[in-house]
């Protein structure tokens, strides 16, 4: 069993043993993080070296004006340099004279920029004659922040998708398990079950119903065609009652092959979907046969006993018409009334 499955099971999640672990997604995110880190490092290095070259060239241009003590020209070059390289402040200090020239740009604050300070020596003919100081707005952190935010968003989206996928898979498996249970109950029930359309066409029938009817596949057959002609009216009334009231009440049907059914119909179906009829019946053929045998037996026994009893009663009437004592007559009249209360 996969390690990923064991870990998720310990945390209480219901994960199918064959569910693929998200390691490829995690590896892709880690690779993207590494690529982003390398890109940030390379970009920062390239930008820093480009700035060094720019400052070195500018320092060489300013060095002539510092050597010639031309403060006005030095400040004008500082202004041009500040505008071209996006500096907030630039200043030059002289070892002997101190502050020599400076420039401050009119800038507005921005959360996407970070100020960075630097110093660069100014030399002329191999001699250091001053220092160039500057503060520059660096927008690279905003780029890095945006990249990291994008990565975090991607991480969130990927893991949310994995989480929802697991949840959807869990719900799907639970639904499939419940469907299998209901299907087993439907197919293996001893009751005769069927599902039909609202006009009585069979959609599903379990094995018990198919066995009682004698058809292996009942899908698409009209239930009325399976019912004895005299009982079809009961079936139609049952359908109408189910559609009107939600259930049919007790139904007694006789099929064309002599099978007797007792049961009921209920209305089913999904909201705003097609209406279906759900029927549950019992095969009462054997019970009906036993009841008929009882009635036949009682009829035969009653006939066989009534014939001799009528003869006995007739002879009693004849005897009563003869000369009898009072006591004998009372006893014979009692016997006659016991056999026939009308006398």
């Amino acid at each position: 069993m996969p390690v990923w499955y064991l870990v998720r099971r310990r945390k209480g999640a219901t994960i199918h043993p064959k569910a693929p672990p998200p390691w490829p997604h995690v590896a892709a995110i880690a690779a993207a993080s590494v690529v982003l880190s390398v890109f940030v490092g390379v970009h920062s290095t390239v930008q820093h070296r480009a700035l060094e070259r720019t400052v070195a060239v500018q320092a060489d241009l300013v060095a002539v004006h510092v050597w010639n003590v031309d403060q006005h020209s030095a400040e004008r070059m500082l202004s041009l340099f500040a505008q071209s390289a996006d500096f907030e402040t630039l200043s030059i200090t002289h070892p002997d004279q101190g502050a020599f020239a400076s420039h401050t740009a009119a800038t507005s604050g921005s959360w996407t920029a970070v100020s960075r300070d630097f110093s660069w020596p100014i030399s002329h003919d191999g001699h250091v004659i001053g220092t160039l100081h500057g503060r520059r707005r660096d927008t690279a952190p905003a780029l890095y922040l945006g990249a990291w935010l994008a990565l975090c968003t991607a991480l969130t989206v990927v893991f949310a998708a994995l989480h929802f996928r697991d949840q959807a898979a869990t719900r799907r498996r639970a639904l499939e398990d419940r469907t299998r249970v209901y299907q087993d109950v439907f197919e293996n029930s001893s009751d005769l079950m069927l599902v039909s359309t609202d006009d009585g066409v069979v959609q599903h029938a379990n094995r018990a119903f198919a066995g009682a009817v004698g058809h292996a596949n009942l899908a698409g057959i009209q239930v009325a065609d399976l019912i004895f002609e005299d009982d079809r009216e009961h079936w139609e009334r049952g359908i109408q009652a189910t559609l009107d009231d939600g259930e049919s009440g007790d139904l007694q049907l006789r099929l064309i092959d002599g099978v007797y059914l007792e049961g009921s119909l209920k209305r089913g179906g999904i909201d705003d979907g097609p209406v279906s009829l759900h029927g549950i019946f019992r095969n009462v053929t054997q019970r009906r046969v036993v009841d008929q045998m009882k009635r036949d037996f009682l009829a035969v026994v009653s006939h066989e006993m009534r014939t001799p009893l009528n003869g006995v009663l007739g002879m009693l009437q004849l005897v009563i018409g003869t000369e009898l004592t009072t006591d004998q007559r009372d006893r014979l009249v009692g016997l006659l009334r016991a056999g026939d209360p009308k006398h």
Side-chain angles (χ1 to χ4, degrees), residues 58 62 71-92 101-106 132:
Q58 188 65 25
V62 175
Q71 186 176 4
H72 178 71
S73 298
E75 288 182 349
R76 186 176 61 184
M77 294 198 66
L78 289 181
S79 175
L80 295 174
F81 181 44
Q83 294 176 5
S84 64
D86 200 21
F87 278 92
E88 294 179 353
T89 61
L90 281 173
S91 62
I92 299 174
S102 64
H103 172 78
T104 301
L132 178 64

Coordinates of all heavy atoms in Angstrom, one line a residue, residues 58 62 71-92 101-106 132:
Q58 N 30.2 57.6 -15.0 CA 29.8 58.9 -14.5 C 30.8 59.5 -13.6 O 31.1 60.7 -13.6 CB 28.4 58.8 -13.8 CG 27.8 60.2 -13.4 CD 27.5 61.0 -14.7 OE1 27.2 60.4 -15.7 NE2 27.5 62.3 -14.6
V62 N 32.6 63.1 -14.0 CA 32.6 64.2 -13.0 C 34.0 64.5 -12.4 O 34.2 65.6 -12.0 CB 31.6 63.7 -11.8 CG1 31.7 64.7 -10.7 CG2 30.2 63.5 -12.3
Q71 N 32.2 73.6 -9.8 CA 31.1 73.1 -9.1 C 29.8 73.2 -9.9 O 29.0 72.2 -9.8 CB 30.9 73.9 -7.8 CG 29.9 73.4 -6.9 CD 29.8 74.1 -5.6 OE1 30.5 75.1 -5.4 NE2 29.0 73.7 -4.7
H72 N 29.6 74.2 -10.6 CA 28.3 74.3 -11.4 C 28.2 73.2 -12.5 O 27.2 72.6 -12.6 CB 28.3 75.7 -12.1 CG 27.1 75.9 -13.0 ND1 25.8 76.0 -12.5 CD2 26.9 75.9 -14.3 CE1 24.9 76.2 -13.5 NE2 25.6 76.1 -14.6
S73 N 29.3 72.9 -13.2 CA 29.3 71.9 -14.2 C 29.1 70.5 -13.5 O 28.4 69.6 -14.0 CB 30.5 71.9 -15.0 OG 30.7 73.1 -15.7
A74 N 29.7 70.3 -12.4 CA 29.6 69.0 -11.7 C 28.1 68.8 -11.2 O 27.6 67.7 -11.4 CB 30.5 69.0 -10.4
E75 N 27.4 69.8 -10.7 CA 26.1 69.7 -10.3 C 25.1 69.4 -11.5 O 24.2 68.7 -11.4 CB 25.6 70.9 -9.5 CG 26.2 71.1 -8.1 CD 25.7 72.3 -7.4 OE1 25.0 73.1 -8.1 OE2 26.0 72.4 -6.2
R76 N 25.4 70.1 -12.6 CA 24.6 69.8 -13.8 C 24.7 68.4 -14.3 O 23.7 67.7 -14.7 CB 25.0 70.8 -14.9 CG 24.1 70.7 -16.2 CD 24.5 71.7 -17.2 NE 25.9 71.5 -17.6 CZ 26.5 72.3 -18.4 NH1 25.9 73.4 -18.9 NH2 27.8 72.1 -18.8
M77 N 25.9 67.8 -14.2 CA 26.1 66.4 -14.6 C 25.5 65.5 -13.6 O 24.9 64.4 -14.0 CB 27.6 66.1 -14.8 CG 28.3 66.9 -15.9 SD 29.8 66.1 -16.4 CE 29.3 64.6 -17.0
L78 N 25.6 65.9 -12.3 CA 24.9 65.0 -11.4 C 23.4 65.0 -11.6 O 22.7 64.0 -11.5 CB 25.1 65.6 -9.9 CG 26.5 65.4 -9.4 CD1 26.6 66.0 -8.0 CD2 26.9 63.9 -9.4
S79 N 22.8 66.1 -12.0 CA 21.3 66.2 -12.3 C 21.0 65.3 -13.5 O 20.0 64.5 -13.5 CB 20.9 67.7 -12.6 OG 19.6 67.7 -13.0
L80 N 21.8 65.4 -14.6 CA 21.5 64.5 -15.7 C 21.7 63.0 -15.4 O 20.9 62.2 -15.8 CB 22.5 64.9 -16.9 CG 22.3 66.3 -17.5 CD1 23.4 66.6 -18.5 CD2 20.9 66.4 -18.1
F81 N 22.7 62.7 -14.6 CA 22.9 61.4 -14.2 C 21.8 60.8 -13.3 O 21.3 59.7 -13.4 CB 24.3 61.3 -13.5 CG 24.6 59.9 -13.1 CD1 24.4 58.8 -13.9 CD2 25.2 59.6 -11.8 CE1 24.7 57.5 -13.5 CE2 25.5 58.3 -11.4 CZ 25.3 57.3 -12.3
A82 N 21.3 61.7 -12.4 CA 20.2 61.3 -11.5 C 19.0 61.0 -12.3 O 18.2 60.0 -12.0 CB 19.9 62.4 -10.5
Q83 N 18.7 61.8 -13.3 CA 17.5 61.5 -14.1 C 17.6 60.3 -15.0 O 16.6 59.5 -15.2 CB 17.2 62.7 -15.0 CG 16.9 64.0 -14.2 CD 16.7 65.2 -15.2 OE1 16.8 65.1 -16.4 NE2 16.5 66.4 -14.6
S84 N 18.8 60.0 -15.5 CA 18.9 58.9 -16.4 C 19.0 57.6 -15.6 O 18.6 56.5 -16.1 CB 20.2 59.0 -17.2 OG 21.4 59.1 -16.4
A85 N 19.5 57.6 -14.4 CA 19.7 56.4 -13.6 C 18.7 56.2 -12.5 O 18.9 55.3 -11.6 CB 21.1 56.3 -13.1
D86 N 17.7 57.1 -12.4 CA 16.7 57.0 -11.4 C 17.2 57.1 -10.0 O 16.9 56.3 -9.1 CB 15.9 55.8 -11.6 CG 14.5 55.8 -10.9 OD1 14.1 57.0 -10.7 OD2 13.9 54.8 -10.6
F87 N 18.1 58.2 -9.7 CA 18.6 58.4 -8.4 C 17.8 59.4 -7.7 O 17.2 60.4 -8.3 CB 20.1 59.0 -8.5 CG 21.1 57.9 -8.7 CD1 21.5 57.5 -10.0 CD2 21.7 57.3 -7.6 CE1 22.4 56.5 -10.2 CE2 22.6 56.3 -7.8 CZ 23.0 55.9 -9.1
E88 N 17.6 59.2 -6.4 CA 17.0 60.2 -5.6 C 17.9 61.4 -5.2 O 17.6 62.6 -5.3 CB 16.4 59.6 -4.3 CG 15.3 58.6 -4.5 CD 14.8 57.9 -3.2 OE1 15.5 58.2 -2.2 OE2 13.8 57.2 -3.3
T89 N 19.1 61.0 -4.8 CA 20.1 62.1 -4.4 C 21.5 61.6 -4.9 O 21.8 60.4 -5.0 CB 20.2 62.2 -2.8 OG1 20.6 61.0 -2.3 CG2 18.9 62.7 -2.3
L90 N 22.3 62.6 -5.3 CA 23.7 62.4 -5.6 C 24.5 63.6 -5.0 O 24.1 64.7 -5.1 CB 23.9 62.4 -7.2 CG 23.5 61.2 -7.9 CD1 23.5 61.4 -9.4 CD2 24.4 60.0 -7.5
S91 N 25.7 63.2 -4.5 CA 26.5 64.3 -3.9 C 28.0 63.9 -4.1 O 28.3 62.7 -4.2 CB 26.2 64.5 -2.4 OG 26.4 63.3 -1.7
I92 N 28.9 64.9 -4.0 CA 30.3 64.7 -4.2 C 31.0 65.3 -3.0 O 30.6 66.5 -2.6 CB 30.9 65.3 -5.5 CG1 30.2 64.6 -6.7 CG2 32.4 65.1 -5.5 CD1 30.6 65.3 -8.0
A101 N 29.5 69.2 -4.4 CA 28.3 69.4 -5.3 C 27.3 68.3 -4.8 O 27.6 67.3 -4.4 CB 28.6 69.2 -6.7
S102 N 26.0 68.7 -5.1 CA 24.9 67.7 -4.7 C 23.7 68.0 -5.6 O 23.5 69.0 -6.2 CB 24.5 67.9 -3.3 OG 24.0 69.2 -3.0
H103 N 22.8 66.9 -5.7 CA 21.6 67.0 -6.4 C 20.5 66.2 -5.8 O 20.8 65.0 -5.4 CB 21.8 66.6 -7.9 CG 20.5 66.5 -8.6 ND1 19.8 67.6 -9.1 CD2 19.7 65.4 -8.9 CE1 18.7 67.2 -9.7 NE2 18.6 65.9 -9.6
T104 N 19.4 66.7 -5.6 CA 18.2 66.0 -5.0 C 17.1 66.0 -6.0 O 16.6 67.1 -6.4 CB 17.8 66.6 -3.7 OG1 19.0 66.6 -2.8 CG2 16.7 65.8 -3.0
A105 N 16.6 64.9 -6.3 CA 15.5 64.8 -7.3 C 14.2 64.9 -6.5 O 14.0 64.4 -5.4 CB 15.5 63.5 -8.1
A106 N 13.2 65.5 -7.2 CA 11.8 65.6 -6.6 C 11.1 64.3 -6.9 O 10.6 64.0 -8.0 CB 11.1 66.8 -7.2
L132 N 31.8 59.9 -4.7 CA 30.5 60.1 -5.2 C 29.5 59.3 -4.4 O 29.6 58.0 -4.3 CB 30.4 59.6 -6.7 CG 29.0 59.7 -7.4 CD1 28.6 61.2 -7.5 CD2 29.1 59.1 -8.8

